[in-house]
């Protein structure tokens, strides 16, 4: 058995965890034509993830920068996202790399935030290029792996590997939402967060349904919930 002493340094919050005061969300090119060409994910599942991510941005009042690429040909932002974030201005561009469009960089800079939560289509092009550029510009970039998709599983995975090697931090929408929420004792977003997970987090949603329909009433009756 080791004689090494374990020192407990007390409670703290890691700086790498997302905080709703420090994050700006980038929705890059979630457009009809790119969605049709998606081959890396189950379409029903990734649509669920897009909805959940958009609701996460709305719930925590994150600044959102939303882009399209050549929308006259490739279509508008898909209706599921637009219905959740209808008031966000969409910046349409022609250059593949969104970070080479001064309007988009300015929109990010004006938020004053240093952490970018990025999702989009396709991972290997319209997500990868601005992520690499933002990293070189000094931003801390979190890429939502299950809210982004590529033409094939391979192109998506290779792009993720490249971005991770460059310094991007991979997350899922559930992970991002949970980090932004943080504390069940904070009732500010409690009901909305639980409902978000119930609607969109698959098996965990069923767990929540069971807990609130059976476990919580029992604890309230017995006084054990206090």
């Amino acid at each position: 058995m080791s004689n090494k002493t374990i020192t407990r340094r007390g409670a703290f919050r890691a700086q790498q965890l997302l905080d709703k005061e420090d994050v700006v969300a980038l929705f890059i090119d979630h457009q009809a034509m790119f969605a049709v060409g998606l081959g890396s994910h189950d379409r029903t599942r990734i649509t669920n993830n897009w909805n959940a991510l958009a609701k996460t941005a709305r719930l925590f009042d994150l600044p959102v920068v939303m882009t399209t690429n050549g929308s006259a040909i490739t279509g508008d932002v898909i209706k599921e996202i637009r219905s959740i974030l209808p008031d966000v201005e969409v910046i349409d561009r022609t250059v593949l790399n969104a970070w080479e469009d001064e309007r988009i960089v300015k929109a990010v800079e004006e938020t004053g935030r240093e952490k970018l939560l990025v999702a989009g289509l396709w991972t290997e092009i319209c997500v990868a290029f601005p992520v690499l550029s933002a990293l070189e510009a000094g931003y801390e970039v979190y890429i939502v792996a299950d809210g982004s998709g590529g033409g094939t599983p391979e192109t998506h995975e290779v792009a993720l590997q490249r971005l991770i090697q460059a310094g991007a931090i991979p997350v899922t929408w559930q992970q991002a939402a949970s980090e932004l929420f943080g504390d069940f004792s904070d009732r500010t977003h409690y009901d909305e967060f639980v409902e978000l997970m119930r609607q969109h987090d698959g098996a965990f949603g069923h767990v929540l349904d069971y807990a609130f329909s059976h476990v919580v009433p029992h604890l309230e009756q017995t006084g054990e919930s206090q």
Side-chain angles (χ1 to χ4, degrees):
M1 181 180 295
S2 172
N3 293 322
K4 181 179 180 180
T5 300
I6 298 176
T7 302
R8 300 191 181 277
R9 300 182 181 272
F12 71 97
R13 180 177 175 84
Q15 292 185 353
Q16 286 194 44
L17 291 173
L18 296 169
D19 187 291
K20 58 182 178 290
E21 302 300 327
D22 296 333
V23 175
V24 52
L26 275 67
F27 286 79
I28 299 177
D29 304 351
H30 289 94
Q31 296 169 258
M33 190 181 83
F34 299 135
V36 169
L38 178 72
S40 59
H41 291 71
D42 173 79
R43 295 170 188 271
T44 300
R45 183 61 184 170
I46 199 170
T47 299
N48 169 80
N49 298 344
W50 294 336
N51 291 344
L53 187 61
K55 289 180 181 180
T56 296
R58 184 182 65 186
L59 172 60
F60 296 106
D61 198 26
L62 301 181
V64 175
V65 178
M66 189 176 295
T67 76
T68 53
N69 190 347
S71 61
I73 297 173
T74 54
D76 297 325
V77 174
I78 60 172
K79 292 182 179 179
E80 290 87 352
I81 292 175
R82 290 302 286 156
S83 66
I84 297 167
L85 299 170
D87 299 325
V88 175
E89 177 187 1
V90 179
I91 303 174
D92 189 44
R93 67 185 197 286
T94 58
V95 63
L96 285 176
N97 183 358
W99 210 258
E100 294 178 21
D101 189 307
E102 293 181 357
R103 297 170 299 164
I104 295 169
V105 175
K106 181 180 178 182
V108 173
E109 290 176 343
E110 287 179 346
T111 69
R113 302 188 176 201
E114 299 296 326
K115 293 185 177 183
L116 310 184
L117 185 63
V118 181
L121 297 174
W122 293 325
T123 319
E124 60 267 32
I125 301 173
C126 294
V127 175
F129 297 174
V131 166
L132 292 170
S133 297
L135 286 168
E136 289 194 11
Y139 286 90
E140 191 172 342
V141 183
Y142 295 73
I143 179 169
V144 187
D146 62 350
S148 305
T152 68
E154 182 179 25
T155 58
H156 173 73
E157 291 299 329
V158 168
L160 283 180
Q161 291 175 28
R162 180 183 183 188
L163 297 178
I164 293 167
Q165 289 176 357
I169 302 166
V171 294
T172 64
W173 78 261
Q174 299 97 326
Q175 184 178 3
S178 297
E179 290 181 29
L180 292 165
F181 176 65
D183 186 352
F184 277 105
S185 69
D186 182 356
R187 310 300 288 192
T188 306
H189 301 295
Y190 177 88
D191 291 335
E192 293 86 351
F193 176 76
V194 169
E195 183 62 16
L196 173 68
M197 291 295 174
R198 191 193 67 78
Q199 289 182 358
H200 295 286
D201 199 14
F204 185 52
H206 298 309
V207 171
L208 290 171
D209 280 336
Y210 175 76
F212 283 98
S213 63
H214 291 78
V215 179
V216 172
H218 172 74
L219 294 177
E220 290 175 344
Q221 290 175 1
T222 60
E224 295 178 36
S225 61
Q226 300 300 320

